[in-house]
Amino acid sequence: MIAKHVPMRSLGKSDFAGLADYITDTQGKTERLGQVQVTNCAAGTVQAAIDEVLATQHINTRAKGDKTYHLLVSFRTGEKPNADTIKAIEERICAGLGYGEHQRISAVHHDTDNLHIHIAINKIHPVRHTMHEPYYPHRALAELCTIIERDYGLEPDNHESRKRNAEGRAVDMERHAGIESLIGWIKRECLDEIREAQSWAELHQTMRANGLELRERANGLVIETVDGTMVKASTVARDFSKPKLEARLGSFEASSERQAQINVKRQYQKYPVRLRVNTVELYARYKAEQQTLTATRTAALEKTKKRKDEQIEAAKRSSRLRRAAIKILSEGRLTKKLLYAQASKSLRNEIQAINEQYRRERKRFYDEHRRLTWADWLKKESMQGNGEALAALRAREAAQGLKGNTVKGEGQARPGHVPILDNITKKGIIIYRAGMSAIRDDGDKLQVSRETNSEGLQAALRLAMERYGERITVNGTAEFKAQVVWAAVESQLPIIFADPGLERRRQELSTKEKANERTGSISDRGRTDRRGTGRAGPGSTADQHAIRFRGGPNDSRAAGASERSAGIVGKPNIGRPGRVPPPQSQHRLRELSELGVVRIAGGSEVLLPRNVPGHVEQQGTQPDNTLRRGVFGAGVKPEQIVAAEKYIDEREQKRFKIYDIPKHFLYNGQNGTFTYGGTRNVDGHALALLKHGDEVMVLPIDQATTRRLKRIGVGDPVTVNPTGSLRTSKGRSQ
């Protein structure tokens, strides 16, 4: 785990609102934003918390420094702590820096190869209104990370860097931008040759042969290339500082013109870091695009500015004509004054709208024609389907592939169904969308990230089968293997596990599944529940019931044996079907009418009165299903139910990103007293929101009910009858 402070480049860019908006922005990606946490704020939403922090910062008028502290906490590849662990780590780090009582907003990001947390902290104390600046924060963060790694069992990192700032920035440039730095090039190409020089003349000669120049600058020495790239000599190596070189070679001597005529055998150029694939053509395309970016952007901006000037001139011309028409009117002076004021205001508003549109277009042009680093350009090309760029990303030294719970095939990769693309990381890992989960693909293995639910696992197995064939290899924990086997049985995919134990368990479960379907002893798990959410998910009551009786991933009997690594145990004590049906199935015929039936097997049998149910002996009128009242009451159309489900889906999507949105569900016939939460209009259909605890029930209503609900306020009690009608505290049905 690594924690570091991300300073602002200038005090003028210190903006808590901008930082909070950045860290909580999804950027159109499903996998980017995870848990969002607001701490030490009275506000309940992120936007309200931002306003509260800005108000607190505004109180302190004496502090001239940066009032916002941006903290970044990154975990190693493959480490995915749960929400409680992430929250505890955030609290301990902030408390260790002295920000335990300060206002802050944190957001977890999943769109890169390393799970990381962005924390925006207000340096101004919410009570004392004084600004706190941590003392030697890099040392405090290093000590905190070491303790947290030990307490939570995380893989240890090197928290005490032995590199200087310039050397560290060079390493970061090679890792993130993909371009070879001058320091790295010297160390790899000619460092040993330079160290072998025994005099200043020999040292300058070696420098010239490698396209370098050693110059005296201020009180030290610098190494400069032909294109002007410069680096301190002591940054390349400690023994290249001016005092140490003079101690070894004597007083500094500048290079002579005769030494400058030496043939150059190599020289530094800003080329990509050497990869395992040939990127010459790709880099040539990259350089050509970067060279034309400025010219293209300038031409587009000039065209936009010209159009803006023409629109402003047309607005002014129209205003002059309008004022001339007002001038020739025969109305009174006061009337003309009002008309002139309206014309001036109209002109100002029109010019303001034109300038605002021009600013938006300028921002769009700068975003579209922004200069990209080599790695970012490869990522952009990969997103557009360039296979060579994707191979170059995966050939980088930093790319190590997926680890942990993975699924892979033994066959050769082949093209197949491509799910919805969400993002591509700088290590060439593709992130696909799979419902509420996401699938990561490094070209060799697949991994279900974040929520490992049945839907995501089934999508991963389907993708692996299409890519690599029917034989699948599963790596990871026993619990993950159990979930994979369960997903394979549920999806009924024709796959074969390479692990004999997993394959044997899959076959056993498949056989039991078919037998249970034939006998009907297990209830249909795909039946729609009362809330209209469709198939029961892995966390539903029906699913837990099925797992408890049929064996599931959490069965405690799964541990301890290789053959039972899947962790799924079958239903115990299954006997042969008896001749006497269970009580709830007496006097019923399968798939026929449910009228009571009395059967006398033989003449010697006597049907006693106690054996005859009352509804068989004295049958009365039975209500037909087509005449029964639905749970939504009379007059509710299917279009209203569709609108309600659409609204619920929209709120549920946002609930995974914003923590304070309650769970919404469709009206399921539940009656009782609720709290009125207002009405919503979706596609022209009215919906009533009824709060019950931490949940909100959505009930479709008609226009008459909508008008009546306007008479009560949000928060008033509302009673729902079993028929689906509403009754307010005044006792009137709605």
Side-chain angles (χ1 to χ4, degrees), residues 1-30:
M1 185 183 73
I2 296 177
K4 67 176 182 178
H5 171 224
V6 183
M8 296 291 182
R9 294 185 179 180
S10 65
L11 295 181
K13 294 183 179 180
S14 178
D15 181 14
F16 186 90
L19 177 59
D21 290 339
Y22 165 73
I23 66 176
T24 58
D25 184 15
T26 60
Q27 296 183 356
K29 305 173 184 176
T30 304

mmCIF file of all heavy atoms in Angstrom, residues 1-30:
data_model
loop_
_atom_site.group_PDB
_atom_site.id
_atom_site.type_symbol
_atom_site.label_atom_id
_atom_site.label_comp_id
_atom_site.label_asym_id
_atom_site.label_seq_id
_atom_site.Cartn_x
_atom_site.Cartn_y
_atom_site.Cartn_z
ATOM 1 N N MET A 1 0.845 -1.187 0.000
ATOM 2 C CA MET A 1 0.000 0.000 0.000
ATOM 3 C C MET A 1 0.883 1.239 0.000
ATOM 4 O O MET A 1 1.890 1.304 0.711
ATOM 5 C CB MET A 1 -0.911 0.005 1.231
ATOM 6 C CG MET A 1 -1.911 1.144 1.261
ATOM 7 S SD MET A 1 -2.893 1.153 2.766
ATOM 8 C CE MET A 1 -1.669 1.710 3.924
ATOM 9 N N ILE A 2 0.511 2.216 -0.802
ATOM 10 C CA ILE A 2 1.247 3.470 -0.898
ATOM 11 C C ILE A 2 0.279 4.619 -0.649
ATOM 12 O O ILE A 2 -0.809 4.654 -1.236
ATOM 13 C CB ILE A 2 1.913 3.633 -2.280
ATOM 14 C CG1 ILE A 2 2.970 2.540 -2.487
ATOM 15 C CG2 ILE A 2 2.540 5.004 -2.424
ATOM 16 C CD1 ILE A 2 3.620 2.567 -3.842
ATOM 17 N N ALA A 3 0.672 5.558 0.207
ATOM 18 C CA ALA A 3 -0.122 6.759 0.486
ATOM 19 C C ALA A 3 0.773 7.971 0.263
ATOM 20 O O ALA A 3 1.895 8.024 0.772
ATOM 21 C CB ALA A 3 -0.650 6.739 1.915
ATOM 22 N N LYS A 4 0.275 8.916 -0.504
ATOM 23 C CA LYS A 4 1.076 10.111 -0.776
ATOM 24 C C LYS A 4 0.174 11.320 -0.957
ATOM 25 O O LYS A 4 -1.005 11.213 -1.298
ATOM 26 C CB LYS A 4 1.938 9.904 -2.023
ATOM 27 C CG LYS A 4 1.164 9.783 -3.319
ATOM 28 C CD LYS A 4 2.118 9.674 -4.504
ATOM 29 C CE LYS A 4 1.355 9.604 -5.829
ATOM 30 N NZ LYS A 4 2.269 9.538 -6.982
ATOM 31 N N HIS A 5 0.785 12.475 -0.704
ATOM 32 C CA HIS A 5 0.090 13.747 -0.875
ATOM 33 C C HIS A 5 0.269 14.210 -2.313
ATOM 34 O O HIS A 5 1.370 14.181 -2.861
ATOM 35 C CB HIS A 5 0.666 14.783 0.105
ATOM 36 C CG HIS A 5 0.159 16.173 -0.138
ATOM 37 N ND1 HIS A 5 0.982 17.280 -0.124
ATOM 38 C CD2 HIS A 5 -1.090 16.628 -0.426
ATOM 39 C CE1 HIS A 5 0.261 18.369 -0.380
ATOM 40 N NE2 HIS A 5 -0.991 17.992 -0.564
ATOM 41 N N VAL A 6 -0.842 14.622 -2.936
ATOM 42 C CA VAL A 6 -0.810 15.128 -4.311
ATOM 43 C C VAL A 6 -0.950 16.646 -4.230
ATOM 44 O O VAL A 6 -2.060 17.168 -4.076
ATOM 45 C CB VAL A 6 -1.937 14.522 -5.159
ATOM 46 C CG1 VAL A 6 -1.834 15.008 -6.597
ATOM 47 C CG2 VAL A 6 -1.892 13.001 -5.096
ATOM 48 N N PRO A 7 0.152 17.403 -4.308
ATOM 49 C CA PRO A 7 0.056 18.861 -4.150
ATOM 50 C C PRO A 7 -0.489 19.527 -5.402
ATOM 51 O O PRO A 7 -0.391 19.004 -6.516
ATOM 52 C CB PRO A 7 1.504 19.276 -3.883
ATOM 53 C CG PRO A 7 2.316 18.235 -4.588
ATOM 54 C CD PRO A 7 1.539 16.952 -4.496
ATOM 55 N N MET A 8 -1.078 20.692 -5.209
ATOM 56 C CA MET A 8 -1.531 21.501 -6.329
ATOM 57 C C MET A 8 -0.318 22.143 -7.003
ATOM 58 O O MET A 8 0.660 22.485 -6.346
ATOM 59 C CB MET A 8 -2.493 22.593 -5.849
ATOM 60 C CG MET A 8 -3.774 22.058 -5.251
ATOM 61 S SD MET A 8 -4.809 21.292 -6.502
ATOM 62 C CE MET A 8 -6.232 20.815 -5.519
ATOM 63 N N ARG A 9 -0.395 22.319 -8.296
ATOM 64 C CA ARG A 9 0.716 22.927 -9.014
ATOM 65 C C ARG A 9 0.856 24.414 -8.713
ATOM 66 O O ARG A 9 1.928 24.976 -8.797
ATOM 67 C CB ARG A 9 0.539 22.718 -10.520
ATOM 68 C CG ARG A 9 0.636 21.260 -10.926
ATOM 69 C CD ARG A 9 0.588 21.108 -12.438
ATOM 70 N NE ARG A 9 0.716 19.711 -12.840
ATOM 71 C CZ ARG A 9 0.706 19.305 -14.099
ATOM 72 N NH1 ARG A 9 0.555 20.177 -15.080
ATOM 73 N NH2 ARG A 9 0.830 18.027 -14.368
ATOM 74 N N SER A 10 -0.251 25.050 -8.382
ATOM 75 C CA SER A 10 -0.217 26.463 -8.006
ATOM 76 C C SER A 10 -1.362 26.708 -7.050
ATOM 77 O O SER A 10 -2.378 26.007 -7.062
ATOM 78 C CB SER A 10 -0.334 27.369 -9.234
ATOM 79 O OG SER A 10 -1.596 27.216 -9.843
ATOM 80 N N LEU A 11 -1.202 27.721 -6.190
ATOM 81 C CA LEU A 11 -2.241 28.013 -5.213
ATOM 82 C C LEU A 11 -3.522 28.464 -5.879
ATOM 83 O O LEU A 11 -4.599 28.325 -5.329
ATOM 84 C CB LEU A 11 -1.740 29.084 -4.237
ATOM 85 C CG LEU A 11 -0.560 28.661 -3.354
ATOM 86 C CD1 LEU A 11 -0.179 29.799 -2.426
ATOM 87 C CD2 LEU A 11 -0.896 27.425 -2.546
ATOM 88 N N GLY A 12 -3.412 29.055 -7.063
ATOM 89 C CA GLY A 12 -4.610 29.506 -7.753
ATOM 90 C C GLY A 12 -5.512 28.372 -8.183
ATOM 91 O O GLY A 12 -6.687 28.583 -8.450
ATOM 92 N N LYS A 13 -4.973 27.123 -8.274
ATOM 93 C CA LYS A 13 -5.770 25.974 -8.694
ATOM 94 C C LYS A 13 -6.322 25.183 -7.503
ATOM 95 O O LYS A 13 -6.921 24.141 -7.687
ATOM 96 C CB LYS A 13 -4.931 25.043 -9.566
ATOM 97 C CG LYS A 13 -4.521 25.664 -10.898
ATOM 98 C CD LYS A 13 -3.750 24.665 -11.736
ATOM 99 C CE LYS A 13 -3.354 25.273 -13.076
ATOM 100 N NZ LYS A 13 -2.593 24.322 -13.909
ATOM 101 N N SER A 14 -6.085 25.659 -6.277
ATOM 102 C CA SER A 14 -6.583 24.958 -5.103
ATOM 103 C C SER A 14 -8.089 25.161 -4.997
ATOM 104 O O SER A 14 -8.558 26.241 -4.651
ATOM 105 C CB SER A 14 -5.886 25.486 -3.843
ATOM 106 O OG SER A 14 -6.398 24.858 -2.703
ATOM 107 N N ASP A 15 -8.851 24.147 -5.301
ATOM 108 C CA ASP A 15 -10.309 24.251 -5.345
ATOM 109 C C ASP A 15 -10.892 22.958 -4.805
ATOM 110 O O ASP A 15 -10.799 21.902 -5.446
ATOM 111 C CB ASP A 15 -10.777 24.510 -6.772
ATOM 112 C CG ASP A 15 -12.288 24.660 -6.863
ATOM 113 O OD1 ASP A 15 -12.933 24.823 -5.813
ATOM 114 O OD2 ASP A 15 -12.814 24.614 -7.985
ATOM 115 N N PHE A 16 -11.473 23.023 -3.606
ATOM 116 C CA PHE A 16 -12.051 21.817 -3.006
ATOM 117 C C PHE A 16 -13.221 21.308 -3.832
ATOM 118 O O PHE A 16 -13.377 20.095 -4.015
ATOM 119 C CB PHE A 16 -12.497 22.119 -1.568
ATOM 120 C CG PHE A 16 -12.976 20.908 -0.832
ATOM 121 C CD1 PHE A 16 -12.094 20.140 -0.096
ATOM 122 C CD2 PHE A 16 -14.308 20.516 -0.862
ATOM 123 C CE1 PHE A 16 -12.526 19.006 0.587
ATOM 124 C CE2 PHE A 16 -14.748 19.392 -0.195
ATOM 125 C CZ PHE A 16 -13.850 18.636 0.533
ATOM 126 N N ALA A 17 -14.039 22.223 -4.353
ATOM 127 C CA ALA A 17 -15.202 21.810 -5.142
ATOM 128 C C ALA A 17 -14.767 21.089 -6.411
ATOM 129 O O ALA A 17 -15.329 20.049 -6.779
ATOM 130 C CB ALA A 17 -16.067 23.019 -5.485
ATOM 131 N N GLY A 18 -13.755 21.616 -7.099
ATOM 132 C CA GLY A 18 -13.269 20.959 -8.308
ATOM 133 C C GLY A 18 -12.676 19.598 -8.020
ATOM 134 O O GLY A 18 -12.881 18.637 -8.783
ATOM 135 N N LEU A 19 -11.911 19.483 -6.909
ATOM 136 C CA LEU A 19 -11.325 18.191 -6.548
ATOM 137 C C LEU A 19 -12.411 17.181 -6.184
ATOM 138 O O LEU A 19 -12.353 16.017 -6.609
ATOM 139 C CB LEU A 19 -10.358 18.379 -5.375
ATOM 140 C CG LEU A 19 -9.716 17.109 -4.816
ATOM 141 C CD1 LEU A 19 -8.919 16.385 -5.882
ATOM 142 C CD2 LEU A 19 -8.826 17.445 -3.615
ATOM 143 N N ALA A 20 -13.413 17.612 -5.418
ATOM 144 C CA ALA A 20 -14.501 16.695 -5.047
ATOM 145 C C ALA A 20 -15.299 16.260 -6.267
ATOM 146 O O ALA A 20 -15.705 15.092 -6.371
ATOM 147 C CB ALA A 20 -15.411 17.366 -4.014
ATOM 148 N N ASP A 21 -15.544 17.180 -7.196
ATOM 149 C CA ASP A 21 -16.262 16.810 -8.418
ATOM 150 C C ASP A 21 -15.460 15.810 -9.244
ATOM 151 O O ASP A 21 -16.027 14.891 -9.858
ATOM 152 C CB ASP A 21 -16.565 18.058 -9.247
ATOM 153 C CG ASP A 21 -17.613 18.942 -8.590
ATOM 154 O OD1 ASP A 21 -18.377 18.430 -7.750
ATOM 155 O OD2 ASP A 21 -17.657 20.144 -8.908
ATOM 156 N N TYR A 22 -14.140 15.975 -9.267
ATOM 157 C CA TYR A 22 -13.297 15.055 -10.039
ATOM 158 C C TYR A 22 -13.315 13.651 -9.444
ATOM 159 O O TYR A 22 -13.475 12.656 -10.166
ATOM 160 C CB TYR A 22 -11.867 15.571 -10.091
ATOM 161 C CG TYR A 22 -10.868 14.539 -10.547
ATOM 162 C CD1 TYR A 22 -10.800 14.139 -11.877
ATOM 163 C CD2 TYR A 22 -10.000 13.926 -9.638
ATOM 164 C CE1 TYR A 22 -9.902 13.160 -12.295
ATOM 165 C CE2 TYR A 22 -9.101 12.965 -10.036
ATOM 166 C CZ TYR A 22 -9.053 12.580 -11.368
ATOM 167 O OH TYR A 22 -8.176 11.619 -11.769
ATOM 168 N N ILE A 23 -13.151 13.551 -8.126
ATOM 169 C CA ILE A 23 -13.038 12.213 -7.529
ATOM 170 C C ILE A 23 -14.387 11.494 -7.477
ATOM 171 O O ILE A 23 -14.412 10.261 -7.361
ATOM 172 C CB ILE A 23 -12.418 12.285 -6.118
ATOM 173 C CG1 ILE A 23 -13.342 13.018 -5.154
ATOM 174 C CG2 ILE A 23 -11.059 12.946 -6.169
ATOM 175 C CD1 ILE A 23 -12.831 13.052 -3.725
ATOM 176 N N THR A 24 -15.504 12.225 -7.554
ATOM 177 C CA THR A 24 -16.826 11.583 -7.533
ATOM 178 C C THR A 24 -17.451 11.501 -8.913
ATOM 179 O O THR A 24 -18.628 11.123 -9.026
ATOM 180 C CB THR A 24 -17.772 12.347 -6.593
ATOM 181 O OG1 THR A 24 -17.876 13.721 -7.019
ATOM 182 C CG2 THR A 24 -17.270 12.306 -5.158
ATOM 183 N N ASP A 25 -16.696 11.820 -9.960
ATOM 184 C CA ASP A 25 -17.222 11.773 -11.326
ATOM 185 C C ASP A 25 -17.022 10.372 -11.898
ATOM 186 O O ASP A 25 -15.917 9.814 -11.839
ATOM 187 C CB ASP A 25 -16.507 12.813 -12.194
ATOM 188 C CG ASP A 25 -17.086 12.885 -13.603
ATOM 189 O OD1 ASP A 25 -18.202 12.356 -13.803
ATOM 190 O OD2 ASP A 25 -16.436 13.458 -14.492
ATOM 191 N N THR A 26 -18.063 9.803 -12.473
ATOM 192 C CA THR A 26 -17.958 8.467 -13.068
ATOM 193 C C THR A 26 -17.260 8.488 -14.419
ATOM 194 O O THR A 26 -16.765 7.454 -14.872
ATOM 195 C CB THR A 26 -19.352 7.846 -13.234
ATOM 196 O OG1 THR A 26 -20.139 8.682 -14.102
ATOM 197 C CG2 THR A 26 -20.050 7.733 -11.883
ATOM 198 N N GLN A 27 -17.241 9.638 -15.100
ATOM 199 C CA GLN A 27 -16.632 9.773 -16.431
ATOM 200 C C GLN A 27 -17.223 8.786 -17.428
ATOM 201 O O GLN A 27 -16.548 8.330 -18.347
ATOM 202 C CB GLN A 27 -15.113 9.597 -16.345
ATOM 203 C CG GLN A 27 -14.419 10.671 -15.524
ATOM 204 C CD GLN A 27 -12.913 10.510 -15.508
ATOM 205 O OE1 GLN A 27 -12.373 9.544 -16.053
ATOM 206 N NE2 GLN A 27 -12.224 11.445 -14.907
ATOM 207 N N GLY A 28 -18.480 8.431 -17.230
ATOM 208 C CA GLY A 28 -19.148 7.522 -18.148
ATOM 209 C C GLY A 28 -18.712 6.071 -18.029
ATOM 210 O O GLY A 28 -19.007 5.265 -18.908
ATOM 211 N N LYS A 29 -18.016 5.704 -16.940
ATOM 212 C CA LYS A 29 -17.528 4.347 -16.754
ATOM 213 C C LYS A 29 -18.254 3.702 -15.580
ATOM 214 O O LYS A 29 -18.428 4.320 -14.533
ATOM 215 C CB LYS A 29 -16.018 4.345 -16.484
ATOM 216 C CG LYS A 29 -15.190 5.046 -17.544
ATOM 217 C CD LYS A 29 -13.748 5.144 -17.114
ATOM 218 C CE LYS A 29 -12.918 5.929 -18.115
ATOM 219 N NZ LYS A 29 -11.523 6.114 -17.659
ATOM 220 N N THR A 30 -18.658 2.459 -15.776
ATOM 221 C CA THR A 30 -19.331 1.733 -14.709
ATOM 222 C C THR A 30 -18.353 1.339 -13.609
ATOM 223 O O THR A 30 -18.699 1.316 -12.433
ATOM 224 C CB THR A 30 -20.002 0.471 -15.271
ATOM 225 O OG1 THR A 30 -20.898 0.847 -16.322
ATOM 226 C CG2 THR A 30 -20.782 -0.261 -14.200
#
